[in-house]
Amino acid sequence: MLQFDLLKTEGLARRGRLTLNHGVVETPIFMPVGTYGTVKGVMPRSLEEMGAQIILGNTFHLWMRPGLDVLQQFGGLHRFEQWNKPILTDSGGFQVWSLGEMRKISEEGVKFASPVNGDKLFLTPETSMQIQTTLNSDIVMQFDECTPYDTKGHITTEAEARFSMELSRRWALRCKDEFARLENPNALFGIVQGGMFENLREDSLAALVEMDFPGYAVGGVSVGEPKQEMLRIMAHTPHLLPAHKPRYLMGVGTPEDLVEGVMQGVDMFDCVMPTRNARNGHLFTRFGDLKIRNAKHRSDERPLDETCTCYTCAGFRRDDGTVGGGFSRAYLHHLDRCGEMLGPMLATIHNLHYYLNLMREVRAALDAGTFADFARAFRQDRTRGV
């Protein structure tokens, strides 16, 4: 079940609406990453309050723990983690890539030792579809090989990237067949690969479009390549995908990357950056990035961002009308110095709220036909300094 309505365009930028089995998603959208069935440090209620419309789960890790028997018992991931809105699950391909020498890739699939208990495991396109059917995710990703930027100490050659891309293409067909056999009621996305080679990206894209997936992703970026290489592929590939279907750029990125991605025709983004950086004291604000561990914040009474309406910055309104919360930079600096768990929790709330609000502002600008002006103001604000 997937319906995509393209509501408005401005240049290559698109304003859309995605209807899935567990709800409606307004695009462009950022999707918080919930690897093990939870977005680290954030309660589901907080995610809803900050405007999250769809979150991610990780096929590979959920297969390892808690295991398919438990997830089947709960009827899938939604009830297990108490999230009633849409969920997208990755295929396991990126985790396979990250295992490095611990895995062996063949035409059939990938053999590897479990990083949890050392068990010998075999992940195939069919297995990935079976796991994701058990998870009952609204968007299922095809099993692919994530083409590395460098291979055994050298930058991946065009021949190596082609071999990898064509393997992913054959796996895409197997995923499509198994998805249909399982009668999965959700939506399956194909993933465009091809490394840093535009001609391979076009070959991959053409083959996947012929398979007629409900949606498409651009994969194989944010895998160690220089930023300029990623931006080159971002500028080349998304707008070539079918205009009447959703486009997802996997694993990207900074606030600047998101705005640039929208300008290039991307509808959907995910990245661990807002949550991972929060746990390391790195905060995103309208006026640039802030490192809360720096000594200059020790006695600073200001919030992280005076324009931000998140719980961390602005607090909440009590039943009696008074306002509680609204934490100072000094307090967040103190929590980080002391290793208190509230520190990364508050930082994560802020960073995710910032990303989700950025996408909300992007959608409003597209609705108003003022996205180009918004993008200019965004860049100016981000370089102003905190």
Side-chain angles (χ1 to χ4, degrees):
M1 159 66 184
L2 180 149
Q3 177 183 328
F4 181 68
D5 298 304
L6 187 56
L7 305 177
K8 205 162 186 179
T9 60
E10 184 176 329
L12 296 177
R14 294 142 55 90
R15 172 74 171 92
R17 181 169 296 132
L18 187 58
T19 303
L20 300 162
N21 272 332
H22 286 87
V24 174
V25 176
E26 303 290 339
T27 65
I29 188 65
F30 177 79
M31 304 179 286
V33 177
T35 302
Y36 285 98
T38 174
V39 178
K40 284 185 174 65
V42 184
M43 290 188 294
R45 184 180 68 184
S46 296
L47 282 172
E48 292 206 29
E49 287 171 352
M50 66 179 71
Q53 301 177 55
I54 176 172
I55 62 173
L56 266 66
N58 186 276
T59 295
F60 178 89
H61 288 299
L62 292 165
W63 182 35
M64 299 291 102
R65 291 178 294 194
L68 296 189
D69 55 338
V70 173
L71 290 160
Q72 202 156 27
Q73 176 187 330
F74 280 82
L77 196 51
H78 291 87
R79 180 169 163 249
F80 186 61
E81 64 178 277
Q82 290 299 304
W83 176 259
N84 297 319
K85 295 184 178 185
I87 294 175
L88 180 151
T89 48
D90 62 10
S91 67
F94 183 82
Q95 280 65 43
V96 163
W97 169 78
S98 66
L99 288 171
E101 297 301 318
M102 293 169 60
R103 49 47 174 176
K104 183 177 181 182
I105 301 172
S106 68
E107 185 68 35
E108 283 306 302
V110 184
K111 290 181 179 177
F112 60 95
S114 165
V116 175
N117 57 18
D119 285 355
K120 301 295 183 188
L121 297 171
F122 191 37
L123 186 56
T124 67
E126 290 78 13
T127 308
S128 178
M129 294 303 98
Q130 292 156 17
I131 298 166
Q132 292 183 81
T133 297
T134 299
L135 295 174
N136 193 29
S137 44
D138 297 77
I139 297 177
V140 170
M141 301 306 298
Q142 76 150 98
F143 188 60
D144 63 331
E145 189 199 7
C146 191
T147 306
Y149 176 68
D150 58 78
T151 302
K152 295 180 179 176
H154 68 269
I155 294 174
T156 300
T157 66
E158 183 174 347
E160 290 167 331
R162 178 174 289 282
F163 183 86
S164 173
M165 179 272 287
E166 290 179 345
L167 179 63
S168 289
R169 177 178 52 77
R170 293 191 294 274
W171 283 357
L173 271 174
R174 287 168 58 187
C175 287
K176 198 164 186 287
D177 290 344
E178 182 67 6
F179 187 86
R181 187 190 71 79
L182 294 165
E183 298 181 342
N184 189 318
N186 296 297
L188 175 63
F189 278 30
I191 303 177
V192 177
Q193 290 289 356
M196 299 295 116
F197 302 93
E198 284 98 334
N199 59 315
L200 298 185
R201 291 281 175 178
E202 290 170 20
D203 290 350
S204 174
L205 188 152
L208 292 171
V209 168
E210 194 173 327
M211 295 180 209
D212 194 29
F213 286 94
Y216 296 93
V218 177
V221 291
S222 294
V223 289
E225 75 277 9
K227 184 63 163 284
Q228 285 307 118
E229 291 289 275
M230 185 273 285
L231 292 172
R232 179 168 59 83
I233 297 303
M234 187 200 291
H236 169 267
T237 307
H239 70 272
L240 299 177
L241 288 162
H244 63 293
K245 295 187 178 183
R247 304 163 175 171
Y248 166 27
L249 183 64
M250 303 180 77
V252 175
T254 66
E256 287 76 11
D257 293 338
L258 267 60
V259 172
E260 181 64 26
V262 171
M263 292 179 74
Q264 301 299 342
V266 177
D267 305 306
M268 304 165 66
F269 303 86
D270 81 284
C271 190
V272 298
M273 194 171 279
T275 48
R276 180 178 290 169
N277 284 25
R279 297 193 298 276
N280 291 298
H282 186 133
L283 287 306
F284 297 97
T285 82
R286 184 178 300 274
F287 303 112
D289 296 353
L290 182 153
K291 295 183 179 177
I292 202 65
R293 292 177 180 173
N294 290 352
K296 67 180 181 179
H297 301 303
R298 182 174 174 270
S299 58
D300 194 332
E301 296 186 16
R302 292 175 297 167
L304 296 170
D305 184 338
E306 289 167 342
T307 71
C308 181
T309 59
C310 79
Y311 171 73
T312 304
C313 291
F316 64 98
R317 191 163 296 280
R318 299 190 181 99
D319 291 341
D320 63 3
T322 60
V323 175
F327 300 95
S328 66
R329 298 181 187 185
Y331 183 61
L332 293 166
H333 174 81
H334 160 73
L335 293 176
D336 186 86
R337 287 288 300 267
C338 296
E340 284 289 342
M341 67 174 67
L342 182 60
M345 289 172 67
L346 291 173
T348 301
I349 287 170
H350 169 78
N351 273 358
L352 283 176
H353 181 279
Y354 172 78
Y355 268 62
L356 291 164
N357 188 63
L358 174 61
M359 290 290 99
R360 193 158 39 233
E361 291 180 350
V362 164
R363 292 193 298 272
L366 286 167
D367 285 337
T370 57
F371 177 65
D373 292 337
F374 169 84
R376 278 192 294 273
F378 161 80
R379 286 189 288 265
Q380 288 172 358
D381 281 347
R382 284 281 292 164
T383 56
R384 193 197 81 173
V386 292

